[in-house]
Amino acid sequence: MKRCVDETSHSVSFCKFESISADRKYKEQKLNEIIAAICAMLNSNGGKVILHNECECEKVKRLPPLVIRILEQSLVSIIGTHQTVSKIDFKEDKQRQSIVILIQKADFLVTANYNLYLPSQSQVILVSPVEQLTKVKDDIICRKVGPQADQLGSHWKIFCKDTNCDLQDSKNVQLKHLKAVASKRATLADRMTGKGNKFTCYVSAFANHNGGHIYYGIRDDGVVEGELIPNEQDKNEITKKVEKAIKKLIWPEKIGQPKRGEQWEIFFEPVVDKNSKAIPLTVVIVIYIALCLGGVFTEEPECYEMVEGKVKKMSFATWKKRVLQLDDVGIPVAVQRIEWGSSATERHCSKAREVLMTAINNGKWKMFSKYAKLFENKYPEVEVKLMVLSRRLIVSYRQGCLRTARLLLIDYHQLLPKANELLIFEVIYLYLKAALKRVTGDCQAAGEILKDALLKTDQLSPGIVTAATLSFAAMNQDSALNEDGPSPADLSIKVLEHLRYAPRSKIQVDIEQKAYISLATFHLGYHLSGKIIENDVNHLRLEKATSSIMALNKSVCSGYSLSRYREVQFNLVQSTLYYRYAQVKPEKNEEFLEEAFQFSKKAQYIARASNFDEMVTWANVSAALCTEKLVLASLVKIDRVKKIYVPVSKK
């Protein structure tokens, strides 16, 4: 064992540890005291904890093993088996009737309770102290981006009394019905936000995951009961107490005090009867919690350290500092930090990429040719020439000139060994090669090439190049990656994460918009080419697709308009969305199919006008599908009318 630095002594009645119920409070208090001392030494330089037995009963000789076993079980639940075995030794001093606990410094910062929650499918769960601190840090505290976060206003709004509303508990939905009758001591607001209903736990869980909604007035089975709110004063009280409870949580410094309309919101949705008439004073209370990057704690984490020989609870500021010093904050563990060797080369390549891709995505081919020559002549670096070559290849690919694209790929491959930034441009080469394999129908080969590209991507520092590779893989997962590989949604989320490390620019926003399009198509069970991946999708998938489309719209509304190419894709996504709506809402079949058809035609027009050959083909497939379904719907309607109006022949 290492030299003991600190020592604490604790007087304990060992016999009270044997009692099951009578001395529960005493046992809990002493356990917390001892565990705090052990954790403090694990977080400092080790030490010694001595437990003196203060009882004189006859059973004293057989009690120390019981106490040791209880302590070991508690420690395993906090620091795990390995640390308990390797860092802690229990010694029984029979002569002095005491237990000596020898402690070495732990391999990591030991936190007895993170006071962080995450949602499961049916409940919210306190993050276990056994969870690796690096995992908690990367997934919650230093998380950079969240997938498919619930949007403000996306909650369910129609509630019919005694009817199942199709909602169920999930990672972003919790249903509550407060059966207890309000009293002078406990109002509805008190019961909603009280500890017994775990309100702050739900807030922490949803904020730390992807946002969510708490619905008060709906039973666990999804049947609407409603909550009775007699007047506006009660509504105001509920709102105030909800706000107070939310503000008591510990939010990231960049948020400060959580703001209504941003981090949270409350809605009082009317409950109607079977005739769609509002039932007086009866509502479903919906509380929206937004995704919050940085971690939302119900209380300060419970962590201890030794200060001048005494056990002290570590301050939140100190704890966070210790957590963030584990490694470089913000860089995903899986991504090794291989950077550009020359900042000038990176700057020149970035400029070329942005200007040329802007021209490509807007179908401005003359402008592209002009600037491609300009960059080739202006900058001597091989990397710039490779960047221009790769963009020329993309032009040929999008215009359907595959023979030219293959020749350009050969030129690229021959020039590649001369590059100083070899790995970066090798990744670009691989995803271009995969694209050409895919378009010729060799999906298996494309999949193998993409696997190699993704492996090499993991060696690069996150940024535009890695995001572009992941984005291409996301768009082509259904045909190019194995079934056991990451889904398009997983890859698109990684795209968004990698883009966080790139400066805001037109090309960065374009890839971000592409990621949202990819997420939407995945949830709709379609590929933009018109290929049906799944025959049917449920309401939840439609909601997720809608959330992606809303995120894309938000990007556009913030000042970043869609390029012509993305506009084609966006129209195809919206066409697919309405096609799916036609499936799940047959009563509005024709109406939705007509909308789907119009979006397909719009995509078709833009693709033709911009000379995006591949997109023209995809838009044609989409329009043809909508036309076919519209014709079938019309025939069914005509047949139905005939059955109603054709008179029965007289005998």
Side-chain angles (χ1 to χ4, degrees):
M1 298 291 291
K2 290 185 179 179
R3 179 175 62 87
C4 294
V5 177
D6 290 304
E7 180 178 313
T8 64
S9 295
H10 307 266
S11 295
V12 181
S13 291
F14 289 174
C15 61
K16 291 187 178 181
F17 274 72
E18 189 178 42
S19 173
I20 296 174
S21 58
D23 299 302
R24 182 179 295 172
K25 191 173 181 180
Y26 173 87
K27 185 165 68 173
E28 187 177 315
Q29 178 189 340
K30 285 295 178 181
L31 266 177
N32 289 340
E33 180 186 315
I34 297 164
I35 293 296
I38 294 172
C39 289
M41 292 180 188
L42 286 166
N43 288 331
S44 302
N45 293 310
K48 183 191 296 184
V49 174
I50 303 172
L51 309 183
H52 298 285
N53 180 33
E54 59 181 18
C55 69
E56 298 178 357
C57 64
E58 296 178 359
K59 300 182 288 184
V60 70
K61 291 183 180 180
R62 63 180 179 83
L63 288 176
L66 171 67
V67 176
I68 291 171
R69 186 165 67 251
I70 291 171
L71 285 170
E72 281 183 331
Q73 289 170 349
S74 297
L75 287 166
V76 167
S77 70
I78 295 172
I79 62 174
T81 305
H82 176 71
Q83 292 290 304
T84 302
V85 171
S86 63
K87 302 297 181 183
I88 297 172
D89 276 346
F90 291 89
K91 305 288 185 183
E92 184 183 346
D93 189 336
K94 293 182 179 180
Q95 187 176 359
R96 297 183 181 180
Q97 294 186 11
S98 63
I99 298 171
V100 179
I101 308 169
L102 301 174
I103 303 144
Q104 294 184 54
K105 184 177 180 178
D107 296 334
F108 51 81
L109 182 67
V110 173
T111 304
N113 189 341
Y114 289 115
N115 285 318
L116 286 168
Y117 286 79
L118 287 172
S120 70
Q121 199 63 27
S122 59
Q123 60 185 322
V124 292
I125 301 171
L126 179 65
V127 175
S128 169
V130 181
E131 292 281 351
Q132 290 184 6
L133 185 57
T134 51
K135 188 72 175 168
V136 174
K137 179 175 78 76
D138 291 336
D139 291 352
I140 300 177
I141 300 168
C142 294
R143 186 180 176 197
K144 292 293 180 184
V145 68
Q148 290 302 96
D150 271 24
Q151 301 295 315
L152 179 62
S154 63
H155 64 281
W156 204 262
K157 300 176 180 69
I158 301 172
F159 301 99
C160 184
K161 178 76 171 175
D162 298 327
T163 302
N164 193 301
C165 63
D166 290 333
L167 287 173
Q168 60 183 14
D169 286 339
S170 66
K171 291 180 181 179
N172 59 351
V173 170
Q174 282 293 325
L175 307 180
K176 294 282 182 184
H177 177 47
L178 303 178
K179 298 177 183 178
V181 179
S183 65
K184 290 182 179 179
R185 291 185 178 180
T187 63
L188 177 60
D190 292 326
R191 287 180 287 124
M192 281 177 60
T193 57
K195 285 188 176 181
N197 278 309
K198 296 184 176 180
F199 176 73
T200 54
C201 304
Y202 289 116
V203 175
S204 171
F206 287 157
N208 291 330
H209 190 243
N210 293 315
H213 295 89
I214 311 168
Y215 294 83
Y216 290 92
I218 303 177
R219 296 195 325 228
D220 290 343
D221 58 4
V223 174
V224 177
E225 291 283 353
E227 300 289 354
L228 189 64
I229 303 182
N231 50 55
E232 285 297 318
Q233 186 178 346
D234 286 347
K235 282 187 181 180
N236 292 335
E237 184 193 7
I238 289 169
T239 302
K240 286 178 181 178
K241 290 198 172 177
V242 164
E243 183 172 20
K244 184 179 179 181
I246 289 173
K247 285 185 174 180
K248 277 187 176 179
L249 277 73
I250 301 173
W251 295 77
E253 289 178 13
K254 63 181 179 181
I255 298 294
Q257 285 291 312
K259 300 176 186 66
R260 183 176 178 180
E262 293 184 22
Q263 281 73 44
W264 71 280
E265 187 54 274
I266 186 167
F267 303 90
F268 298 90
E269 300 292 355
V271 175
V272 300
D273 59 22
K274 292 181 180 179
N275 296 317
S276 298
K277 291 184 178 180
I279 301 172
L281 312 179
T282 306
V283 299
V284 169
I285 305 167
V286 186
I287 297 175
Y288 164 74
I289 304 299
L291 161 67
C292 181
L293 302 177
V296 176
F297 299 77
T298 54
E299 300 175 47
E300 289 190 0
E302 189 180 337
C303 187
Y304 299 92
E305 62 181 336
M306 297 301 295
V307 180
E308 296 179 355
K310 294 182 179 180
V311 178
K312 297 287 185 183
K313 185 178 178 182
M314 192 179 290
S315 70
F316 183 58
T318 303
W319 180 84
K320 201 164 186 180
K321 186 178 179 182
R322 291 272 300 265
V323 170
L324 298 183
Q325 285 179 341
L326 286 174
D327 53 27
D328 291 328
V329 179
I331 300 297
V333 175
V335 182
Q336 298 179 31
R337 303 183 66 183
I338 296 178
E339 307 281 355
W340 286 77
S342 164
S343 58
T345 301
E346 180 185 11
R347 191 167 59 252
H348 297 159
C349 287
S350 297
K351 183 67 175 176
R353 182 198 298 114
E354 181 168 349
V355 171
L356 296 178
M357 283 308 301
T358 300
I360 291 170
N361 286 335
N362 287 290
K364 296 181 178 179
W365 309 120
K366 289 183 179 178
M367 181 186 291
F368 171 83
S369 297
K370 173 186 172 182
Y371 281 105
K373 289 178 183 177
L374 188 150
F375 285 119
E376 284 175 327
N377 295 330
K378 185 175 181 179
Y379 299 115
E381 298 104 316
V382 171
E383 287 79 4
V384 175
K385 297 186 186 305
L386 285 169
M387 183 60 71
V388 174
L389 258 179
S390 66
R391 302 311 105 171
R392 289 187 186 278
L393 192 154
I394 291 171
V395 169
S396 299
Y397 171 86
R398 289 193 181 177
Q399 292 183 335
C401 304
L402 298 183
R403 184 175 179 277
T404 304
R406 291 191 196 96
L407 292 173
L408 288 168
L409 188 67
I410 293 170
D411 292 343
Y412 186 104
H413 190 246
Q414 290 173 345
L415 188 59
L416 182 60
K418 298 179 182 179
N420 292 321
E421 314 290 352
L422 186 60
L423 184 60
I424 292 171
F425 285 88
E426 188 178 357
V427 166
I428 295 172
Y429 168 76
L430 288 171
Y431 85 72
L432 291 173
K433 186 178 179 181
L436 290 178
K437 289 289 183 183
R438 183 193 63 81
V439 80
T440 55
D442 194 350
C443 296
Q444 187 174 355
E448 292 303 315
I449 295 166
L450 264 182
K451 279 184 182 179
D452 192 18
L454 291 174
L455 284 172
K456 286 181 166 61
T457 298
D458 280 342
Q459 299 174 42
L460 296 174
S461 181
I464 292 294
V465 173
T466 58
T469 308
L470 292 164
S471 179
F472 176 79
M475 276 290 192
N476 297 280
Q477 189 275 348
D478 67 290
S479 59
L481 292 178
N482 293 332
E483 290 181 1
D484 58 350
S487 72
D490 295 331
L491 289 166
S492 297
I493 289 160
K494 286 189 75 174
V495 170
L496 295 172
E497 185 172 346
H498 281 235
L499 286 174
R500 294 276 177 167
Y501 302 96
R504 200 69 168 163
S505 63
K506 286 183 179 179
I507 190 67
Q508 192 253 22
V509 173
D510 179 70
I511 297 173
E512 179 184 81
Q513 291 169 343
K514 183 181 177 183
Y516 288 128
I517 289 169
S518 183
L519 278 168
T521 55
F522 169 74
H523 291 305
L524 290 169
Y526 256 74
H527 187 270
L528 284 177
S529 64
K531 179 180 177 181
I532 300 174
I533 301 169
E534 298 175 53
N535 290 327
D536 299 293
V537 294
N538 56 28
H539 282 284
L540 182 61
R541 293 284 292 276
L542 284 175
E543 284 179 16
K544 288 184 176 181
T546 303
S547 291
S548 293
I549 291 170
M550 287 172 68
L552 181 56
N553 276 322
K554 187 177 179 181
S555 170
V556 173
C557 292
S558 64
Y560 294 97
S561 60
L562 293 171
S563 66
R564 300 279 283 175
Y565 197 76
R566 296 288 168 249
E567 202 174 342
V568 175
Q569 292 180 326
F570 189 39
N571 277 288
L572 288 174
V573 166
Q574 291 180 96
S575 174
T576 305
L577 178 67
Y578 279 99
Y579 178 82
R580 288 303 196 189
Y581 273 132
Q583 288 182 314
V584 299
K585 296 182 178 180
E587 70 277 7
K588 293 186 176 181
N589 185 31
E590 281 190 88
E591 182 183 333
F592 286 133
L593 285 173
E594 182 60 40
E595 288 287 344
F597 177 74
Q598 292 302 326
F599 278 116
S600 293
K601 294 300 288 182
K602 191 174 180 181
Q604 200 177 51
Y605 172 78
I606 299 169
R608 283 175 178 166
S610 304
N611 197 20
F612 297 142
D613 279 19
E614 186 179 40
M615 283 296 160
V616 170
T617 303
W618 292 4
N620 289 344
V621 171
S622 180
L625 179 64
C626 293
T627 303
E628 179 189 343
K629 296 297 181 182
L630 274 169
V631 170
L632 287 172
S634 298
L635 290 173
V636 169
K637 189 175 181 180
I638 291 168
D639 186 54
R640 200 178 292 136
V641 170
K642 282 182 178 179
K643 287 179 180 178
I644 295 171
Y645 291 104
V646 172
V648 179
S649 58
K650 294 180 180 179
K651 291 183 180 179

